[in-house]
Amino acid sequence: MKTWTFPAGGIHPPEEKHYTEHKAIEDAPLPRRAVVPLQQHIGAPCIPLVKVKDQVLTGQRIGEPKGFVSAPVHATISGTVTAVTEMPHPLGREVLSVVIESDGEDRWVKGITETEDFLSLSPDLLKARIFEAGIVGMGGATFPTHVKLSPPKEKPIDTVILNGVECEPFLTADHRLMLEHPAEILGGLQILMAVLGVKKGIIGIEANKPDAIDKFEKMASSHEAITVYPLKVKYPQGAEKQLIKAVLRREVPSGGLPMDVGVVVHNVGTSAAIYKAVRFGAPMIERITTVTGPGISNPKNLRVRIGTPFSDIITFCGGIKGKAGKIIAGGPMMGVSQYTLDVPVIKGTSGILVFREEDLGLADSNPCIRCGKCLEACPIRINPSLLGIYVEAGVMGELKVHHVLDCIECGSCAYICPARRPLVHLLRYGKAEVLAKKK
């Protein structure tokens, strides 16, 4: 099998997908109490549409977008609003959230209907349904999907790429979705192509998922416009710029976006959500999440209602095995460590990863030894070591010149560094400083 990849950088961390890759998706129990943040996406947060003591139905809009780069938020269970207040969020801060106590009935809002001939709808109507459903990128970036589908006229799109790579270690949610719901993913791709008016669709899948590759190659054989690309197992193969370089040999310019080279990239989970929104009118109230790691008693792939506390999910998976050392929202490379299990699953929660204390083997960081390994590993071809030194020294004026804003925070540099320097932390801080000065 021929495989494709990006030419520069990348690493090969242990995959650790054996915990859940063969486990079918299960439905997690409905939460007794859902905490639904009004910001689950890049861009402006929503304005609450409900107040304390209001009765809400599943699928009811409870958050109104207040900007173009924003997305509606919906109730994920039926019940009573008990609070509209600041609550812990997986990204490490507190955000305005709607707290709903379940009535145990999961009563749905009226007006959700099926459209069988959905591909006959106009591009504008298709995009409107995607917006109304509150769909955002489910690969972790949580960029509002309707914004990606609204490129300026001077940047025509010719290709849609579905990202089924899932190169983060431990995570298998996308893999299981591709095996169990391929028709929904393919239907979503057709909708995306119809909205953008393109004739070329690509599905990229890493070669460690041969069953998914085989399934989609068979399905795509009856669609001339859709091609499956098996990709070499290399991290971060699933990053947008690296995926585009691998399958199209196009290079997104520094500071640019995929639309600058005529491409729009969406996660396979986003594609499935688009299909359900357009065909069945279903708002984005749930997602597939991998609960895994050596510290979880019974790892699973779960269909979880957004707003479900991490504590509920971990309890459903048998609890923590041993003494917890670190709990991460997402994968080990780009995920965010949590300080509380009161945080809820949000639209971008691809995984909940539990490590025990004995799994971590933490050590203090040391000064840079100038080995150059981070330069070799960096898929963007910047100099993480130099940028880190500038941040440590407070020389922020040099960061933009050396392309700190091109960093995709993939963690390859920190993973490979023999001195264990916290390079992702340093570069993330440096990027924030440059952007703050720019504003």
Side-chain angles (χ1 to χ4, degrees), residues 32-36 50-56 62 75 77-87 96-103:
R32 295 186 300 273
R33 176 176 178 263
V35 179
V36 185
V50 293
K51 59 185 184 301
V52 174
K53 296 185 180 180
D54 281 355
Q55 301 295 309
V56 296
I62 59 174
I77 57 174
S78 61
T80 305
V81 176
T82 58
V84 181
T85 187
E86 302 281 326
M87 297 290 285
L96 190 62
S97 305
V98 176
V99 182
I100 306 169
E101 292 290 337
S102 174
D103 58 15

Side-chain angles (χ1 to χ4, degrees), residues 61-120:
R61 187 187 286 202
I62 59 174
E64 183 71 22
K66 64 177 182 181
F68 178 61
V69 184
S70 188
V73 172
H74 301 80
T76 59
I77 57 174
S78 61
T80 305
V81 176
T82 58
V84 181
T85 187
E86 302 281 326
M87 297 290 285
H89 189 281
L91 292 183
R93 62 185 187 276
E94 292 193 346
V95 304
L96 190 62
S97 305
V98 176
V99 182
I100 306 169
E101 292 290 337
S102 174
D103 58 15
E105 298 180 12
D106 198 29
R107 294 174 294 126
W108 277 74
V109 68
K110 294 181 180 179
I112 294 178
T113 57
E114 181 179 0
T115 304
E116 291 189 8
D117 58 341
F118 58 93
L119 285 177
S120 67

Side-chain angles (χ1 to χ4, degrees), residues 73-333:
V73 172
H74 301 80
T76 59
I77 57 174
S78 61
T80 305
V81 176
T82 58
V84 181
T85 187
E86 302 281 326
M87 297 290 285
H89 189 281
L91 292 183
R93 62 185 187 276
E94 292 193 346
V95 304
L96 190 62
S97 305
V98 176
V99 182
I100 306 169
E101 292 290 337
S102 174
D103 58 15
E105 298 180 12
D106 198 29
R107 294 174 294 126
W108 277 74
V109 68
K110 294 181 180 179
I112 294 178
T113 57
E114 181 179 0
T115 304
E116 291 189 8
D117 58 341
F118 58 93
L119 285 177
S120 67
L121 301 176
S122 70
D124 285 343
L125 186 52
L126 291 171
K127 189 161 62 174
R129 291 195 178 189
I130 291 167
F131 168 75
E132 290 295 332
I135 297 175
V136 304
M138 296 178 74
T142 65
F143 197 82
T145 299
H146 71 278
V147 179
K148 270 193 177 183
L149 297 178
S150 306
K153 291 182 179 179
E154 65 271 18
K155 295 183 179 180
I157 305 300
D158 59 48
T159 306
V160 174
I161 299 177
L162 284 194
N163 187 344
V165 177
E166 199 168 44
C167 59
E168 272 269 11
F170 288 94
L171 302 186
T172 58
D174 287 348
H175 186 189
R176 294 310 311 179
L177 183 67
M178 288 188 287
L179 293 179
E180 298 179 41
H181 299 280
E184 293 178 4
I185 294 170
L186 199 63
L189 176 56
Q190 291 176 292
I191 292 167
L192 288 166
M193 293 170 68
V195 171
L196 294 166
V198 305
K199 303 297 183 184
K200 185 175 184 179
I202 290 173
I203 304 172
I205 307 173
E206 216 166 28
N208 58 0
K209 306 171 186 65
D211 45 2
I213 291 171
D214 181 63
K215 186 176 287 286
F216 276 93
E217 283 182 336
K218 289 177 180 176
M219 294 181 67
S221 63
S222 58
H223 300 272
E224 290 185 5
I226 298 174
T227 307
V228 178
Y229 277 71
L231 296 156
K232 184 177 179 180
V233 180
K234 183 169 70 168
Y235 180 86
Q237 184 71 78
E240 278 190 337
K241 293 180 180 180
Q242 282 60 53
L243 182 55
I244 292 168
K245 184 70 174 179
V247 301
L248 293 175
R249 295 296 186 258
R250 300 178 191 176
E251 185 157 350
V252 178
S254 175
L257 297 169
M259 67 174 65
D260 294 321
V261 293
V263 182
V264 167
V265 181
H266 285 282
N267 174 264
V268 290
T270 310
S271 184
I274 287 169
Y275 174 81
K276 288 189 284 187
V278 171
R279 177 161 185 180
F280 299 106
M284 192 173 181
I285 64 161
E286 63 185 16
R287 66 155 297 132
I288 311 301
T289 298
T290 301
V291 188
T292 185
I296 198 77
S297 295
N298 189 8
K300 297 175 181 286
N301 295 298
L302 296 176
R303 184 178 291 103
V304 184
R305 290 291 173 94
I306 290 162
T308 303
F310 277 27
S311 56
D312 288 10
I313 298 300
I314 289 174
T315 298
F316 180 65
C317 293
I320 294 172
K321 184 170 57 178
K323 189 171 182 180
K326 182 176 286 190
I327 296 174
I328 298 173
M333 301 300 294

